[in-house]
Amino acid sequence: MPYEPPTHTVERSLRATTGARTVAGVDEVGRGAWAGPVTVCAAVTGLRKPPEGLTDSKLLTPRRRAELAPLLKSWVTAYGLGHASPQEIDELGMTAALRLAAVRALAGLPVRPDAVILDGKHDYLGQPWKVRTVIKGDQSCIAVAAASVIAKVHRDRMMAELGAESEEYTDFAFDANAGYPSPVHRAALEERGPTPQHRLSWAYLDALPRWQHLKKVRFSAEAAALESGGQLGFDF
Protein backbone atom coordinates (compact mmCIF):
# COMPACT_ATOMS: atom_id res chain seq x y z
CA MET A 1 0.00 0.00 0.00
CA PRO A 2 1.51 3.39 -1.01
CA TYR A 3 2.45 5.77 1.77
CA GLU A 4 3.84 9.26 2.02
CA PRO A 5 7.51 9.24 3.03
CA PRO A 6 8.41 11.01 6.29
CA THR A 7 9.85 14.51 6.20
CA HIS A 8 11.77 16.98 8.35
CA THR A 9 8.77 19.34 8.55
CA VAL A 10 8.24 19.06 12.31
CA GLU A 11 11.94 19.29 13.03
CA ARG A 12 12.25 22.42 10.88
CA SER A 13 9.26 23.92 12.71
CA LEU A 14 10.84 23.23 16.10
CA ARG A 15 14.12 24.75 15.00
CA ALA A 16 12.35 27.86 13.71
CA THR A 17 9.98 28.39 16.65
CA THR A 18 12.13 27.34 19.61
CA GLY A 19 15.68 27.87 18.38
CA ALA A 20 16.46 24.21 18.99
CA ARG A 21 19.65 23.07 17.32
CA THR A 22 19.55 19.39 18.28
CA VAL A 23 16.20 17.63 17.88
CA ALA A 24 15.68 13.97 18.75
CA GLY A 25 12.94 11.72 17.45
CA VAL A 26 11.66 9.25 20.06
CA ASP A 27 9.59 6.11 19.60
CA GLU A 28 8.82 3.00 21.64
CA VAL A 29 8.13 -0.66 21.03
CA GLY A 30 6.81 -3.32 23.36
CA ARG A 31 4.05 -1.33 25.01
CA GLY A 32 1.42 -4.00 24.30
CA ALA A 33 3.55 -7.09 24.88
CA TRP A 34 2.90 -9.59 27.66
CA ALA A 35 6.59 -10.35 28.09
CA GLY A 36 9.88 -8.54 27.73
CA PRO A 37 10.86 -4.91 28.26
CA VAL A 38 9.43 -1.78 26.75
CA THR A 39 12.14 -0.33 24.55
CA VAL A 40 12.62 3.29 23.48
CA CYS A 41 14.97 4.69 20.87
CA ALA A 42 16.01 8.33 20.59
CA ALA A 43 17.48 9.27 17.22
CA VAL A 44 19.11 12.49 16.02
CA THR A 45 19.23 12.81 12.25
CA GLY A 46 19.89 16.44 11.38
CA LEU A 47 18.23 17.45 8.14
CA ARG A 48 19.85 14.94 5.79
CA LYS A 49 18.01 12.74 3.31
CA PRO A 50 17.30 9.33 4.87
CA PRO A 51 17.86 5.88 3.34
CA GLU A 52 15.31 4.93 0.70
CA GLY A 53 12.11 3.36 2.01
CA LEU A 54 12.22 4.69 5.57
CA THR A 55 8.83 4.76 7.29
CA ASP A 56 7.09 3.53 10.43
CA SER A 57 8.52 0.13 11.37
CA LYS A 58 5.02 -1.40 11.46
CA LEU A 59 4.60 -0.69 7.74
CA LEU A 60 7.76 -2.61 6.86
CA THR A 61 8.28 -6.34 6.55
CA PRO A 62 10.61 -7.96 9.09
CA ARG A 63 13.15 -8.49 6.31
CA ARG A 64 13.07 -4.84 5.24
CA ARG A 65 13.35 -3.66 8.86
CA ALA A 66 16.39 -5.88 9.33
CA GLU A 67 17.96 -4.43 6.18
CA LEU A 68 17.24 -0.84 7.16
CA ALA A 69 18.34 -0.94 10.79
CA PRO A 70 22.12 -1.17 10.21
CA LEU A 71 21.88 1.47 7.48
CA LEU A 72 20.07 3.78 9.87
CA LYS A 73 22.55 3.20 12.68
CA SER A 74 25.38 4.42 10.46
CA TRP A 75 23.28 7.19 8.87
CA VAL A 76 21.88 8.92 11.98
CA THR A 77 23.95 11.54 13.75
CA ALA A 78 23.42 9.63 17.00
CA TYR A 79 20.99 7.23 18.63
CA GLY A 80 20.38 5.88 22.12
CA LEU A 81 18.36 2.91 23.37
CA GLY A 82 16.65 2.57 26.73
CA HIS A 83 14.64 -0.22 28.31
CA ALA A 84 12.29 -0.68 31.25
CA SER A 85 12.12 -4.25 32.51
CA PRO A 86 8.96 -6.28 33.13
CA GLN A 87 9.55 -5.81 36.86
CA GLU A 88 9.81 -2.03 36.46
CA ILE A 89 6.63 -2.02 34.37
CA ASP A 90 4.80 -3.95 37.10
CA GLU A 91 6.07 -1.67 39.84
CA LEU A 92 5.68 1.70 38.08
CA GLY A 93 2.91 1.23 35.52
CA MET A 94 3.37 1.63 31.79
CA THR A 95 3.38 5.43 31.61
CA ALA A 96 6.16 5.80 34.18
CA ALA A 97 8.04 2.85 32.67
CA LEU A 98 7.92 4.50 29.25
CA ARG A 99 9.34 7.68 30.73
CA LEU A 100 12.11 5.72 32.44
CA ALA A 101 13.05 3.94 29.20
CA ALA A 102 12.91 7.21 27.23
CA VAL A 103 15.12 9.05 29.72
CA ARG A 104 17.62 6.19 29.50
CA ALA A 105 17.56 6.40 25.70
CA LEU A 106 18.06 10.16 25.72
CA ALA A 107 20.88 9.79 28.24
CA GLY A 108 22.61 7.54 25.71
CA LEU A 109 22.96 10.39 23.22
CA PRO A 110 26.31 12.22 23.19
CA VAL A 111 24.54 15.60 23.37
CA ARG A 112 21.36 16.44 25.26
CA PRO A 113 18.74 17.41 22.66
CA ASP A 114 17.17 20.85 22.80
CA ALA A 115 13.79 19.41 21.80
CA VAL A 116 12.13 16.02 21.38
CA ILE A 117 9.58 14.82 18.83
CA LEU A 118 7.54 12.15 20.56
CA ASP A 119 5.37 9.71 18.65
CA GLY A 120 1.71 9.71 19.74
CA LYS A 121 -0.61 12.18 21.41
CA HIS A 122 0.47 11.77 25.04
CA ASP A 123 3.61 13.37 26.46
CA TYR A 124 4.95 10.69 28.79
CA LEU A 125 8.29 12.50 29.09
CA GLY A 126 7.22 15.82 30.59
CA GLN A 127 9.48 18.38 32.23
CA PRO A 128 12.27 19.35 31.86
CA TRP A 129 12.16 18.08 28.27
CA LYS A 130 10.77 20.30 25.51
CA VAL A 131 8.42 17.90 23.76
CA ARG A 132 6.36 18.08 20.59
CA THR A 133 3.92 15.17 20.34
CA VAL A 134 2.96 14.06 16.84
CA ILE A 135 0.23 11.52 16.14
CA LYS A 136 1.65 8.94 13.72
CA GLY A 137 4.97 10.67 14.01
CA ASP A 138 6.63 7.39 13.11
CA GLN A 139 5.10 7.78 9.65
CA SER A 140 5.49 11.53 9.16
CA CYS A 141 8.76 12.47 10.91
CA ILE A 142 12.11 11.17 9.65
CA ALA A 143 13.81 11.10 13.08
CA VAL A 144 10.87 9.29 14.71
CA ALA A 145 10.63 6.79 11.84
CA ALA A 146 14.34 6.03 12.22
CA ALA A 147 13.89 5.56 15.96
CA SER A 148 10.93 3.23 15.39
CA VAL A 149 12.91 0.91 13.10
CA ILE A 150 15.99 0.80 15.30
CA ALA A 151 13.92 0.14 18.43
CA LYS A 152 11.79 -2.56 16.79
CA VAL A 153 14.70 -4.50 15.32
CA HIS A 154 16.71 -4.25 18.54
CA ARG A 155 13.87 -5.45 20.78
CA ASP A 156 12.85 -8.25 18.41
CA ARG A 157 16.42 -9.50 18.44
CA MET A 158 16.56 -9.35 22.24
CA MET A 159 13.39 -11.42 22.52
CA ALA A 160 14.56 -13.95 19.92
CA GLU A 161 17.82 -14.43 21.81
CA LEU A 162 15.96 -15.40 24.98
CA GLY A 163 14.81 -18.68 23.47
CA ALA A 164 18.31 -19.45 22.28
CA GLU A 165 19.84 -18.74 25.67
CA SER A 166 17.47 -20.75 27.88
CA GLU A 167 15.09 -23.67 27.40
CA GLU A 168 12.83 -21.94 29.92
CA TYR A 169 11.61 -19.66 27.12
CA THR A 170 11.61 -22.04 24.14
CA ASP A 171 7.92 -22.96 24.32
CA PHE A 172 6.85 -19.29 24.27
CA ALA A 173 8.22 -18.72 20.74
CA PHE A 174 9.50 -15.25 21.53
CA ASP A 175 11.46 -15.38 18.28
CA ALA A 176 8.14 -15.32 16.40
CA ASN A 177 5.93 -13.15 18.63
CA ALA A 178 8.44 -10.92 20.47
CA GLY A 179 6.45 -11.36 23.67
CA TYR A 180 3.11 -10.28 22.20
CA PRO A 181 -0.07 -12.38 22.41
CA SER A 182 -0.14 -15.29 19.95
CA PRO A 183 -1.76 -18.75 20.05
CA VAL A 184 1.57 -20.40 20.90
CA HIS A 185 2.33 -17.83 23.57
CA ARG A 186 -1.11 -18.24 25.15
CA ALA A 187 -0.85 -22.04 25.15
CA ALA A 188 2.58 -21.95 26.80
CA LEU A 189 1.29 -19.58 29.48
CA GLU A 190 -1.62 -21.87 30.27
CA GLU A 191 0.67 -24.89 30.55
CA ARG A 192 3.80 -23.45 32.15
CA GLY A 193 2.75 -20.16 33.67
CA PRO A 194 4.57 -16.84 33.44
CA THR A 195 8.36 -16.59 33.41
CA PRO A 196 10.61 -13.86 34.86
CA GLN A 197 10.20 -12.12 31.49
CA HIS A 198 6.44 -11.74 31.87
CA ARG A 199 4.57 -8.71 33.15
CA LEU A 200 2.67 -9.92 36.17
CA SER A 201 0.32 -6.95 36.50
CA TRP A 202 -1.15 -7.50 33.03
CA ALA A 203 -4.78 -8.52 32.53
CA TYR A 204 -3.95 -11.73 30.64
CA LEU A 205 -3.47 -13.45 34.01
CA ASP A 206 -7.17 -12.97 34.75
CA ALA A 207 -7.88 -15.60 32.09
CA LEU A 208 -5.43 -18.08 33.60
CA PRO A 209 -7.02 -19.40 36.83
CA ARG A 210 -4.09 -21.70 37.53
CA TRP A 211 -1.68 -18.75 37.69
CA GLN A 212 -3.86 -15.90 38.98
CA HIS A 213 -2.17 -16.05 42.38
CA LEU A 214 0.97 -14.63 40.74
CA LYS A 215 -0.71 -11.45 39.58
CA LYS A 216 0.69 -8.21 40.96
CA VAL A 217 -1.61 -5.28 41.68
CA ARG A 218 0.19 -1.97 41.92
CA PHE A 219 -2.47 0.52 40.91
CA SER A 220 -5.91 1.71 41.87
CA ALA A 221 -8.79 0.52 39.68
CA GLU A 222 -8.85 3.92 37.97
CA ALA A 223 -5.13 3.84 37.19
CA ALA A 224 -5.32 0.25 36.00
CA ALA A 225 -8.12 1.22 33.60
CA LEU A 226 -5.98 4.00 32.19
CA GLU A 227 -3.09 1.61 31.70
CA SER A 228 -5.18 -1.10 30.05
CA GLY A 229 -4.96 0.57 26.65
CA GLY A 230 -1.28 -0.26 26.59
CA GLN A 231 -1.93 -3.94 27.23
CA LEU A 232 -4.03 -4.64 24.19
CA GLY A 233 -1.88 -3.38 21.33
CA PHE A 234 -0.45 -5.62 18.63
CA ASP A 235 2.51 -4.32 16.66
CA PHE A 236 4.38 -7.42 15.69
Side-chain angles (χ1 to χ4, degrees), residues 19-43:
R21 299 181 62 184
T22 302
V23 179
V26 171
D27 198 19
E28 56 78 22
V29 64
R31 184 196 299 250
W34 287 356
V38 63
T39 297
V40 173
C41 180

Side-chain angles (χ1 to χ4, degrees), residues 118-140:
L118 190 63
D119 180 51
K121 63 180 179 180
H122 298 299
D123 177 8
Y124 56 76
L125 258 177
Q127 296 294 331
W129 303 94
K130 295 180 180 177
V131 176
R132 173 79 59 84
T133 58
V134 179
I135 296 173
K136 294 187 177 180
D138 45 11
Q139 293 182 35
S140 61

Side-chain angles (χ1 to χ4, degrees), residues 1 24 40 45 52 56 58 82-83 98-99 116 124 145 161 168 173 176 187-188 213 216 223 228-229 231:
M1 183 176 182
V40 173
T45 65
E52 189 70 25
D56 171 16
K58 294 187 289 297
H83 311 278
L98 277 171
R99 185 178 195 279
V116 173
Y124 56 76
E161 288 172 352
E168 180 180 9
H213 64 285
K216 293 184 177 179
S228 65
Q231 299 181 31

Side-chain angles (χ1 to χ4, degrees), residues 92-93 201 216-228 231:
L92 301 173
S201 58
K216 293 184 177 179
V217 179
R218 296 297 187 213
F219 325 113
S220 66
E222 180 181 0
L226 291 172
E227 294 289 353
S228 65
Q231 299 181 31

Side-chain angles (χ1 to χ4, degrees), residues 10 19 23-24 81 93 108 121 131 142 150 159 180 201 231-232:
V10 177
V23 179
L81 286 157
K121 63 180 179 180
V131 176
I142 287 174
I150 294 172
M159 296 303 294
Y180 285 85
S201 58
Q231 299 181 31
L232 303 178

Side-chain angles (χ1 to χ4, degrees), residues 37-40 81-85 88 97 100-102 104-105 151 154-155 158:
V38 63
T39 297
V40 173
L81 286 157
H83 311 278
S85 70
E88 288 171 328
L100 181 62
R104 288 168 173 168
H154 183 84
R155 186 183 181 279
M158 286 177 62

